[in-house]
Every structure is written in C-alpha cells, then in structure tokens.
Amino acid sequence: GAGVSQSPSNKVTEKGKDVELRCDPISGHTALYWYRQSLGQGLEFLIYFQGNSAPDKSGLPSDRFSAERTGGSVSTLTIQRTQQEDSAVYLCASSSVSNTEAFFGQGTRLTVV
Amino acid sequence: AQSVTQLDSQVPVFEEAPVELRCNYSSSVSVYLFWYVQYPNQGLQLLLKYLSGSTLVKGINGFEAEFNKSQTSFHLRKPSVHISDTAEYFCAVKLTGRRALTFGSGTRLQVQP
C-alpha cells in the first residue's frame, strides 16, 4: 500500500477483555515497530520485528502484551485482560533495509472503560 | 542508556515569528537524530534527520535543525511560522546498530494569529 495502515482507528473495550490491533506496513518494508503514546507523554517503544522474528521485545510492559508478524507483512498486537492504564494511542511504523527512516501509521486509539 | 529531553512542553508563538524547539540527548555513542511532526489525529511525519555530514539539516515546510555534538543538542528552528505549523513536535534518537527510536516527550507548538 501507499502507507502504513492500522485498524481499527478507534477501539473502545471493557476492562478485562482482550483486544487485537492490526498493522499493515508499507510493501517491502522488512522492519516493523510498535509504539504506545499515552496522554501527555512521548512515544514508548514496545516491540521491533525484522521479518517475522522479534529481536527486540524489551518495551512490552507486561506479559499481557504480545505481538506477532506473519508473512513478513501484517502484524497484530494483542492485549489480554485489558486494564484502564492500557488506554493510549498505539502507533505502528515500518522501515526498509536501509532503516534510517520509519514511516508511521495513523494509530489506533484504544480506550478501556 | 540513551534519553531524549525536550525542554519545553508547550511553545506559544505569534504567526510569522521565529521559533526554536529544543532537544537534548544523552548518549555515549554515535546517534542518528530525527524530528517528527504530529498533526491532530494523525500519525507522525518525518520533518528532517541527521545521519552524518553537515551539522545543519534542512527539512520540509521550511524547518531546519543543527546538530551540536559538544552540547548534545539538536534544536529545531523555523524563521517564520504559519498557523498551519500548529502541531506536536517530537525529537528522536537512534543508536547506530540499534533499530528502535527513542522519543522525547514532545513539544506542542501553538501558533497564534
């Protein structure tokens, strides 16, 4: 596609439910990143994929958070048993082999009520 | 560990006035430096980047930034701002050899008529 696509754009869920957030990177980009942007804060790194493997998961805040990537393309970020503090905008980015610039999607705004 | 400090959370400025958004980083190794802009309800867009070479970097929309290694700074400047420049601006660093970006907490630029 022309850019990084994320779905849904908005998600409201009840506390304790599981949610899945999807990211479709720019075609041919091998690197994919997930970030979280909480209200009034900067962007917090969550996880990095190179191809289908995740060499850096250091930013995942708890074991309720997981992510996978299939076919070197689409990625899904799953949050289990959501809590109110999970409310944030989740941003996905992708980059090419040269890896000097990351292109961001418009994000998924998650609200846990 | 690397960190990025954006000293001003908000910068109000009148239209056609000059502006400087400050960014300092801490790292003992070489870094790549970036400025991103985020318009309301949108993802991040790259303004400019410093990888190597000339310390004065020109970006889109008339913005420029200067890398100062001795002061570990990468301040963003524009000589004359427009209403349309109202947005959140993020400074980010990437260690050479590491994939993920580390972001500052952002500076909200508010351009007033």
Side-chain angles (χ1 to χ4, degrees):
Chain A
V4 178
S5 178
Q6 292 188 245
S7 61
S9 54
N10 282 282
K11 176 72 176 178
V12 180
T13 189
E14 293 181 352
K15 178 181 174 181
K17 298 281 179 123
D18 298 352
V19 294
E20 286 188 352
L21 312 180
R22 176 188 169 105
C23 173
D24 201 341
I26 292 172
S27 178
H29 279 190
T30 58
L32 186 147
Y33 315 80
W34 283 98
Y35 289 85
R36 178 169 71 174
Q37 184 177 22
S38 302
L39 186 64
Q41 299 189 21
L43 281 82
E44 174 189 14
F45 166 75
L46 298 178
I47 187 169
Y48 154 66
F49 286 93
Q50 182 61 42
N52 290 337
S53 63
D56 190 349
K57 306 179 184 179
S58 62
L60 294 177
S62 75
D63 59 8
R64 296 186 297 105
F65 287 72
S66 63
E68 65 175 11
R69 189 179 184 193
T70 56
S73 181
V74 172
S75 176
T76 302
L77 177 68
T78 301
I79 309 173
Q80 295 178 311
R81 304 181 303 281
T82 51
Q83 304 294 313
Q84 287 186 332
E85 60 263 27
D86 299 333
S87 296
V89 176
Y90 289 82
L91 290 165
C92 176
S94 68
S95 65
S96 65
V97 173
S98 64
N99 207 21
T100 58
E101 178 180 350
F103 294 84
F104 282 80
Q106 295 196 353
T108 294
R109 182 176 298 277
L110 175 67
T111 304
V112 182
V113 298
Chain B
Q2 58 177 339
S3 68
V4 182
T5 303
Q6 292 184 244
L7 298 166
D8 305 299
S9 59
Q10 294 189 61
V11 174
V13 63
F14 288 108
E15 193 173 19
E16 298 183 5
V19 70
E20 179 180 82
L21 305 183
R22 296 179 292 170
C23 173
N24 287 85
Y25 67 94
S26 63
S27 176
S28 58
V29 298
S30 296
V31 297
Y32 296 154
L33 295 156
F34 304 80
W35 274 98
Y36 281 84
V37 60
Q38 185 178 35
Y39 297 104
N41 299 314
Q42 294 191 27
L44 276 72
Q45 179 183 5
L46 182 69
L47 272 179
L48 48 79
K49 60 185 177 183
Y50 171 80
L51 304 181
S52 64
S54 173
T55 57
L56 183 62
V57 180
K58 293 190 182 297
I60 62 171
N61 300 341
F63 284 93
E64 63 181 33
E66 185 157 19
F67 170 55
N68 187 318
K69 187 174 182 179
S70 63
Q71 296 186 3
T72 59
S73 68
F74 191 55
H75 301 332
L76 181 70
R77 302 186 184 100
K78 185 169 182 178
S80 176
V81 295
H82 301 287
I83 296 287
S84 59
D85 292 323
T86 295
E88 188 95 20
Y89 292 79
F90 291 94
C91 181
V93 303
K94 186 159 81 75
L95 292 177
T96 51
R98 185 163 189 261
R99 301 297 190 182
L101 292 168
T102 299
F103 284 86
S105 56
T107 297
R108 182 168 298 278
L109 177 64
Q110 298 169 308
V111 182
Q112 304 165 0

